[in-house]
C-alpha cells in the first residue's frame, strides 16, 4: 500500500465481440484470439471468444492468396463467385453501417440435394475453425433443425462474418416440415427487416451475414422478396473443388491480408462507399428490379466485387 502510488496504471482493453473495433482512432478486427490490424498494446479477449480460432497460413503471400481465390471462383463462376462475394459483404458489414448504408443482404442458395451447396457456402465464407470443418456446427453453421434461440445466438455472435443456416428440405413429417419453414421465415424476416426478436430469452442482434441453403424455393412472395436468390441447377464439380480444398486455409489466409488492408484504409473505404452509394441512388430511376430491396442488395455485391 505504501508504494502503490508509485506504480503506473496500465489500461487493458477487454474485447467481448468479434468483428471490427476502434480504439484511439485505429481500426482493427477481432477474430477470436487473433487481432488483425493496429490494435492496442494491452488487450485481452473474453473466454467466450477463444473458441473462435482464426487460422491462416502465414507462408502464403498476398498474390498466392488472390490466385487461390480466383481458382476457387473458377470452379463454378456463378455459384462460387457470388457466394464468396456474399461472404465479403459480411466482413465489410460494419463499414457499410458506418457509411449509413443499412441494407441487410439475406442470401438464399437453393437446388437439388447433393449439389454441394453447403460445401461451397462453408468453404467460401467460413473464417473460423477452418482446419476442422466436420466440427463447424456451433461456430458458423447450423441446421434448420436447430432451436431458434441457438440460431439467433450464432447470428448475434458472428459479428462481421458469415453464418450458414443449412439444409431446408421437404421432410416427410409435415409437422416438422412446417416447423423448419417457420424457422427459416423467422430468420429471413428478423434479418431482412433488421428486427430481431426481443424476449426474456432472446435479446440478440443481427450482426452477421446470412446464407440459407435449401432444396427448394419458398412459395411466399413476401419471403422471397426479401432475399437475394441463387439457384444451383447442376452439381458443383467436386474434382475441381478438391483442388481448392487441398489448401484448407487458402480462403482465411486471403481474408487475413484483406482485413489487414481494410484496417489501414478503413476511413477511405467508408468515404468511398458514401460517394458510390450516392451515385447509385441517382441512377435508381432506371433500375428494372421488381423489389426495391433487391436493387439495393445488388449494390453491396457490386461494391465488394469492385473492391476485390
Amino acid at each position: 500500500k505504501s508504494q502503490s502510488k508509485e506504480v503506473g496504471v496500465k489500461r487493458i482493453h477487454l474485447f467481448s465481440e468479434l468483428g471490427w473495433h476502434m480504439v484511439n482512432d485505429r481500426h482493427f478486427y477481432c477474430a477470436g484470439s487473433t487481432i488483425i490490424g493496429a490494435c492496442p498494446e494491452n488487450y485481452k479477449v473474453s473466454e467466450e471468444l477463444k473458441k473462435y480460432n482464426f487460422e491462416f497460413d502465414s507462408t502464403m503471400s498476398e498474390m498466392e492468396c488472390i490466385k487461390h481465390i480466383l481458382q476457387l471462383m473458377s470452379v463454378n463462376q456463378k455459384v462460387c463467385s457470388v457466394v464468396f462475394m456474399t461472404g465479403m459483404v459480411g466482413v465489410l458489414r460494419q463499414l457499410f453501417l458506418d457509411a449509413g448504408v443499412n441494407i441487410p443482404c439475406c442470401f438464399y442458395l437453393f437446388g437439388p440435394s447433393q449439389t454441394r451447396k453447403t460445401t461451397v457456402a462453408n468453404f467460401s465464407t467460413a473464417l473460423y475453425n477452418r482446419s476442422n470443418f466436420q466440427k463447424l456446427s456451433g461456430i458458423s453453421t447450423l441446421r434448420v433443425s436447430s432451436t431458434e434461440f441457438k440460431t439467433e445466438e450464432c447470428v448475434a455472435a458472428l459479428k462481421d462474418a458469415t453464418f450458414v443456416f443449412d439444409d431446408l428440405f421437404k421432410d416427410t413429417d409435415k409437422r416438422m416440415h412446417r416447423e423448419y419453414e417457420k424457422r427459416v421465415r423467422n430468420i429471413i424476416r428478423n434479418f431482412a427487416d433488421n428486427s430481431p426478436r426481443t424476449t426474456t430469452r432472446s435479446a440478440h442482434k443481427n450482426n452477421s451475414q446470412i446464407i440459407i441453403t435449401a432444396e427448394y424455393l419458398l412459395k411466399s412472395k413476401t419471403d422471397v422478396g426479401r432475399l437475394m436468390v441463387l439457384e444451383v441447377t447442376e452439381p458443383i464439380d467436386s474434382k475441381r473443388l478438391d483442388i481448392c480444398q487441398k489448401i484448407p486455409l487458402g480462403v482465411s489466409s486471403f481474408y487475413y491480408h484483406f482485413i489487414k488492408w481494410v484496417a489501414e484504409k478503413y476511413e477511405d473505404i467508408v468515404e468511398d462507399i458514401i460517394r458510390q452509394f450516392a451515385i447509385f441512388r441517382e441512377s435508381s430511376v432506371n433500375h428494372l428490379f421488381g423489389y426495391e430491396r433487391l436493387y439495393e442488395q445488388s449494390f453491396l455485391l457490386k461494391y465488394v466485387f469492385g473492391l476485390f
Side-chain angles (χ1 to χ4, degrees):
K1 283 185 178 180
S2 64
Q3 296 181 25
S4 62
K5 292 182 180 179
E6 306 300 324
V7 179
V9 176
K10 180 184 289 187
R11 184 174 183 178
I12 297 177
H13 298 274
L14 175 66
F15 301 116
S16 58
E17 276 191 328
L18 298 171
W20 289 103
H21 296 265
M22 184 177 70
V23 176
N24 298 329
D25 295 324
R26 295 186 298 178
H27 297 275
F28 53 92
Y29 190 96
C30 176
S33 54
T34 302
I35 304 294
I36 307 173
C39 65
E41 292 182 2
N42 303 309
Y43 71 90
K44 288 184 178 180
V45 297
S46 66
E47 289 299 317
E48 176 64 19
L49 292 191
K50 291 181 180 179
K51 72 177 182 181
Y52 298 95
N53 300 315
F54 184 89
E55 302 160 310
F56 63 96
D57 186 348
S58 60
T59 65
M60 289 185 72
S61 68
E62 290 182 48
M63 186 57 68
E64 287 173 326
C65 291
I66 291 171
K67 287 180 178 178
H68 176 79
I69 295 302
L70 293 174
Q71 185 179 37
L72 169 65
M73 291 165 66
S74 68
V75 171
N76 185 302
Q77 200 165 25
K78 180 178 73 171
V79 178
C80 296
S81 297
V82 177
V83 170
F84 177 72
M85 292 303 158
T86 302
M88 287 187 70
V89 172
V91 170
L92 295 171
R93 183 172 168 80
Q94 187 59 52
L95 283 81
F96 284 114
L97 291 175
D98 288 352
V101 181
N102 187 6
I103 307 172
C105 179
C106 200
F107 193 76
Y108 194 89
L109 188 66
F110 83 100
S113 179
Q114 303 301 314
T115 47
R116 301 177 190 87
K117 302 181 296 295
T118 303
T119 302
V120 170
N122 275 332
F123 187 68
S124 302
T125 64
L127 296 182
Y128 303 107
N129 302 50
R130 290 189 61 91
S131 62
N132 209 349
F133 269 136
Q134 67 268 29
K135 294 183 180 178
L136 269 176
S137 181
I139 299 294
S140 61
T141 304
L142 280 182
R143 303 295 292 271
V144 294
S145 55
S146 305
T147 64
E148 194 156 349
F149 180 81
K150 182 63 177 175
T151 302
E152 291 173 346
E153 188 178 47
C154 284
V155 172
L158 287 162
K159 182 175 180 291
D160 302 319
T162 300
F163 168 71
V164 179
F165 200 34
D166 188 36
D167 199 22
L168 175 63
F169 66 100
K170 293 183 177 180
D171 197 299
T172 53
D173 185 329
K174 291 184 178 180
R175 184 185 66 83
M176 292 307 301
H177 176 61
R178 286 194 299 270
E179 179 62 27
Y180 296 158
E181 275 204 0
K182 177 185 174 184
R183 291 173 188 175
V184 171
R185 286 194 172 98
N186 282 345
I187 196 171
I188 290 170
R189 293 178 182 233
N190 291 350
F191 181 77
D193 297 337
N194 203 24
S195 56
R197 292 189 309 157
T198 52
T199 67
T200 53
R201 289 189 68 237
S202 176
H204 299 306
K205 297 178 181 179
N206 293 326
N207 280 333
S208 66
Q209 175 65 23
I210 294 177
I211 295 177
I212 299 169
T213 68
E215 291 185 5
Y216 63 96
L217 186 62
L218 294 170
K219 292 182 179 179
S220 171
K221 289 184 178 180
T222 57
D223 294 317
V224 175
R226 291 173 163 85
L227 299 168
M228 182 69 78
V229 178
L230 180 63
E231 182 179 8
V232 183
T233 54
E234 299 291 337
I236 307 297
D237 189 332
S238 58
K239 289 184 179 180
R240 296 184 69 188
L241 192 59
D242 284 345
I243 297 172
C244 297
Q245 290 174 310
K246 287 180 180 178
I247 310 176
L249 301 182
V251 174
S252 57
S253 299
F254 165 81
Y255 271 118
Y256 174 79
H257 290 293
F258 176 69
I259 291 170
K260 189 176 180 181
W261 177 77
V262 171
E264 295 171 356
K265 305 288 185 181
Y266 194 100
E267 297 297 340
D268 293 335
I269 294 173
V270 169
E271 289 180 10
D272 186 57
I273 293 172
I274 293 171
R275 287 194 299 270
Q276 296 296 336
F277 191 63
I279 295 170
F280 176 80
R281 277 294 194 194
E282 289 175 3
S283 64
S284 63
V285 292
N286 299 319
H287 81 80
L288 301 176
F289 282 79
Y291 291 95
E292 185 68 26
R293 73 174 75 220
L294 291 186
Y295 179 64
E296 291 182 339
Q297 288 177 11
S298 72
F299 169 79
L300 302 180
L301 293 180
K302 289 176 181 176
Y303 185 84
V304 298
F305 183 74
L307 198 64
F308 171 75

